[in-house]
């Protein structure tokens, strides 16, 4: 090419190269759809499934690879794939390991979009989706059929808070050659070490504690097994999953403080839960750290902490209309789904419509305890109770 370039070409092809040796704490944001190759031979030698080189932006840049590596390390795994949401991560697992004629077992207390996904697979894809008691433990062996390929677990259930016996489920599954996938979002991979308890595949909604800002939608799938990761990677590619680099950067920026934030959420939640447990309006506090939460003994055995999410059941004398008005009367607690952010949230659930066998009569509210002073949150709950229930 001639030394003299036109202005238009110079705008695209600059001769400037930044000097090497720059270092800073933030991970650099590498945005790319097209990835450049030095030679044709280099292009032909690279495989999108291998993360020792780059092929196309959808399959990763140094920024996404860095987040994946850090998430795998947090979970105690060796491989990680990012997805556009927690539900997308669940979908990736299903499409990687299930086909027409297969069977999948799903806990009855599962994250509701996972339930809906299971129903969709059963209706349109010829896959049997069966729902089981989350506290079944080793008894799940009796439900495993010759065509069962995958067992979903969630600990605890993100609304009803049961803590399943994950090691017992994994042992029964592995004796029959069945994979176990866990939605480990509640513990953020910190309070529960999934792979140490036998889980094969871990799903995380990075929307929660990993982000911490209530401003990112993202998910991840983590494994310790190369073959499982290859199958997941194929599904990831065929589904066309990609994530925005700005969002990846936000999660990377939040990770250093995640454990500190989780401990603060945990402490605040236990303080608020203890106060609620003393209130005559509350029939049951569904927090795994309390003995009246189903699976508490399992939590005490297997977990190293908790988070900010728990539920309460009101005394049966209060109607749904009353508890709905109580939620409306809250000032610091806002109404909205998700959790893991700095702001406290409260959502009512109609459990009788969500569960085939729900044993409680009272209304359920799920609370996400944020990073506000827990005494201020208690005062907010107290004023709403006084205004609506005791006025």
């Amino acid at each position: 090419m001639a030394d003299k370039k036109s202005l238009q070409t110079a705008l695209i092809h600059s001769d400037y190269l930044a000097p090497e040796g720059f270092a800073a704490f933030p991970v650099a944001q590498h945005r790319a759809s097209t990835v450049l190759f030095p030679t044709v031979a280099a292009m032909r030698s690279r495989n999108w499934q291998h993360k020792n080189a780059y092929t196309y932006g959808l399959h990763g840049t140094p920024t996404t690879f860095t987040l994946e590596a850090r998430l795998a390390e947090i979970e105690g795994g060796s491989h990680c794939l990012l997805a556009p949401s927690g539900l997308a991560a669940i979908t990736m697992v299903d499409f990687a390991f299930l086909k027409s004629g297969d069977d999948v077992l799903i806990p009855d207390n599962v994250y509701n979009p996972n339930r809906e996904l299971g129903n969709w697979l059963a209706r349109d894809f010829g896959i049997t989706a069966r729902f089981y008691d989350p506290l079944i433990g080793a008894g799940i062996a009796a439900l495993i059929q010759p065509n069962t390929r995958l067992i979903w677990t969630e600990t605890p259930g993100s609304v009803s808070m049961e803590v399943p016996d994950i090691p017992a489920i994994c042992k029964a599954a592995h004796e029959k050659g069945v994979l176990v996938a866990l939605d480990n979002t509640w513990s953020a991979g910190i309070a529960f070490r999934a792979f140490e308890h036998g889980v094969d595949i871990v799903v995380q909604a990075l929307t929660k504690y990993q982000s911490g800002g209530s401003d990112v939608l993202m998910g991840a799938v983590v494994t310790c097994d190369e073959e499982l990761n290859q199958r997941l990677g194929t599904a990831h590619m065929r589904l066309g999953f990609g994530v925005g680099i700005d969002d990846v950067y936000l999660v990377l920026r939040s990770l250093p403080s995640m454990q500190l934030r989780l401990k603060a959420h945990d402490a605040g939640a236990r303080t608020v839960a203890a106060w609620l447990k003393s209130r005559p309006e509350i029939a049951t506090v569904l927090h795994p750290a309390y003995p009246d939460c189903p699976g508490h003994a399992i939590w005490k055995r297997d977990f190293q902490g908790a988070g900010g999410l728990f539920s309460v059941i009101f005394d049966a004398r209060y109607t749904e209309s009353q508890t709905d008005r109580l939620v409306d009367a809250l000032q610091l607690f806002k109404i909205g789904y998700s959790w893991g952010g700095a702001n406290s949230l409260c959502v009512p659930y109609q459990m009788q419509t969500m569960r085939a066998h729900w044993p409680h009569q009272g209304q359920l509210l799920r609370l996400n305890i944020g990073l506000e002073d827990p005494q201020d949150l208690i005062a907010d709950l107290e004023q709403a109770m006084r205004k609506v229930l005791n006025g």
Side-chain angles (χ1 to χ4, degrees):
M1 182 180 293
D3 292 337
K4 182 66 173 177
K5 293 179 287 206
S6 70
L7 176 60
Q8 178 58 38
T9 299
L11 290 172
I12 301 171
H13 297 272
S14 172
D15 293 329
Y16 177 77
L17 291 175
E20 296 182 0
F22 177 81
F25 290 117
V27 176
Q29 297 181 59
H30 293 273
R31 298 175 178 82
S33 53
T34 297
V35 171
L36 302 181
F37 306 91
T39 64
V40 172
M43 181 184 71
R44 290 175 174 164
S45 68
R46 294 186 192 179
N47 186 325
W48 62 267
Q49 292 178 307
H50 300 154
K51 294 195 173 182
N52 56 2
Y54 305 98
T55 57
Y56 189 66
L58 190 63
H59 307 309
T61 72
T63 313
T64 56
F65 283 10
T66 298
L67 178 56
E68 288 171 337
R70 292 188 179 180
L71 293 171
E73 187 174 12
I74 290 167
E75 281 283 358
S78 53
H79 307 282
C80 177
L81 292 162
L82 299 177
S85 67
L87 179 58
I90 292 168
T91 303
M92 190 198 314
V93 174
D94 281 343
F95 277 79
F97 299 107
L98 297 173
K99 64 181 185 305
S100 180
D102 287 345
D103 175 68
V104 57
L105 288 168
I106 303 171
D108 192 41
N109 66 344
V110 76
Y111 170 61
N112 201 56
N114 194 348
R115 175 188 290 274
E116 293 301 318
L117 177 59
N119 290 333
W120 182 47
L121 293 173
R123 185 179 66 247
D124 292 349
F125 292 85
I127 294 167
T128 306
R130 293 179 294 139
F131 297 90
Y132 67 89
D133 178 354
L135 297 177
I136 195 170
I140 202 164
L143 299 181
I144 297 174
Q145 301 173 164
N147 66 332
T148 303
R149 300 288 176 261
L150 179 66
I151 297 174
W152 274 105
T153 57
E154 184 175 311
T155 189
S158 61
V159 176
S160 49
M161 296 292 144
E162 300 95 336
V163 183
D165 191 338
I166 297 295
I169 291 173
C170 290
K171 183 176 184 295
H174 294 159
E175 287 174 352
K176 299 193 177 186
V178 178
L179 295 171
V180 177
L182 169 68
D183 185 338
N184 200 24
T185 302
W186 187 84
S187 84
I190 293 174
F192 182 75
R193 307 297 292 168
F195 295 119
E196 295 174 12
H197 291 88
V199 172
D200 300 296
I201 303 155
V202 169
V203 167
Q204 285 278 3
L206 309 181
T207 307
K208 310 300 195 288
Y209 295 115
Q210 288 86 348
S211 162
S214 303
D215 55 0
V216 170
L217 286 167
M218 197 181 299
V221 182
V222 183
T223 66
C224 291
D225 183 272
E226 175 63 30
E227 182 180 352
L228 297 182
N229 183 62
Q230 289 298 319
R231 292 180 66 177
L232 287 162
T234 299
H236 184 273
M237 181 273 293
R238 290 173 177 165
L239 290 166
F241 284 158
V243 294
I245 295 301
D246 287 336
D247 288 344
V248 172
Y249 176 79
L250 288 174
V251 176
L252 282 166
R253 188 174 65 172
S254 296
L255 285 184
S257 66
M258 181 170 69
Q259 182 167 259
L260 299 175
R261 288 184 283 106
L262 187 67
K263 288 180 178 179
H265 286 291
D266 185 358
R270 294 198 205 203
T271 299
V272 175
W275 179 82
L276 286 164
K277 195 168 177 59
S278 72
R279 296 291 298 194
E281 299 90 347
I282 303 299
T284 306
V285 173
L286 297 175
H287 187 302
Y290 287 89
D292 48 357
C293 186
H296 164 73
I298 301 299
W299 174 85
K300 193 172 181 180
R301 183 193 72 189
D302 293 345
F303 281 70
Q304 289 79 52
L309 192 76
F310 68 95
S311 297
V312 295
I313 297 172
F314 279 77
D315 188 280
R317 70 181 182 271
Y318 299 114
T319 66
E320 182 180 55
S321 175
Q322 285 177 298
T323 54
D324 283 357
R325 285 189 286 116
L326 182 148
V327 174
D328 289 343
L330 293 168
Q331 297 172 4
L332 294 179
F333 285 90
K334 303 305 179 183
I335 305 169
Y337 296 107
S338 198
W339 71 85
N343 298 87
S344 292
L345 300 169
C346 183
V347 177
Y349 284 86
Q350 298 173 319
M351 297 304 294
Q352 287 77 11
T353 67
M354 295 172 60
R355 298 286 292 277
H357 304 287
W358 180 244
H360 303 282
Q361 297 302 312
Q363 303 300 315
L364 182 145
L365 298 185
R366 190 181 76 174
L367 303 173
N368 168 62
I369 304 304
L371 297 178
E372 301 96 340
D373 187 317
Q375 296 305 321
D376 290 336
L377 297 176
I378 288 171
D380 191 23
L381 289 163
E382 187 172 30
Q383 67 82 21
M385 287 180 176
R386 184 173 61 251
K387 178 179 180 181
V388 176
L389 304 183
N390 304 320

